[in-house]
Amino acid sequence: MVKKSSVSDAWEDDWESQADKEAKEPAATAPPAPLTKKERLAQHAELNRKIWETADTPGNGVPLQFLASTPTPPLAQPFKPPMTVLARNP
């Protein structure tokens, strides 16, 4: 059976009164309390530590995205001097 959602549906006949009722009700979740400077710095340091930890460890079976060092680059084209056209005046 279809579960009734708490959001008003425009296909219902009484959708305007339902939307007005939902607008008057306060939000169920309160915004989080602001963090102190020390807490923000601690979260930032933890996030940086996790980022560097994942960057330093080899990726779980994921190949590294770099070109292997070879004597010649794979798409190198040898230098070709510009062609000069020699013409004789008639």
Side-chain angles (χ1 to χ4, degrees):
M1 183 140 237
V2 177
K3 203 173 187 184
K4 188 117 173 146
S5 67
S6 64
V7 180
S8 60
D9 187 10
W11 292 105
E12 294 178 10
D13 294 333
D14 197 23
W15 66 272
E16 289 176 334
S17 62
Q18 289 180 5
D20 291 339
K21 185 177 73 174
E22 288 175 8
K24 290 179 184 175
E25 293 176 0
T29 59
L35 301 174
T36 63
K37 185 175 183 180
K38 196 179 264 190
E39 290 171 336
R40 284 186 285 127
L41 288 174
Q43 284 182 351
H44 183 71
E46 179 68 19
L47 180 63
N48 277 344
R49 185 189 63 75
K50 288 180 182 178
I51 290 171
W52 279 103
E53 191 174 283
T54 56
D56 288 340
T57 58
N60 305 323
V62 178
L64 297 176
Q65 301 294 325
F66 67 90
L67 296 174
S69 58
T70 57
T72 58
L75 300 175
Q77 297 175 348
F79 173 73
K80 292 182 182 178
M83 183 171 37
T84 54
V85 178
L86 301 176
R88 190 182 291 180
N89 290 333

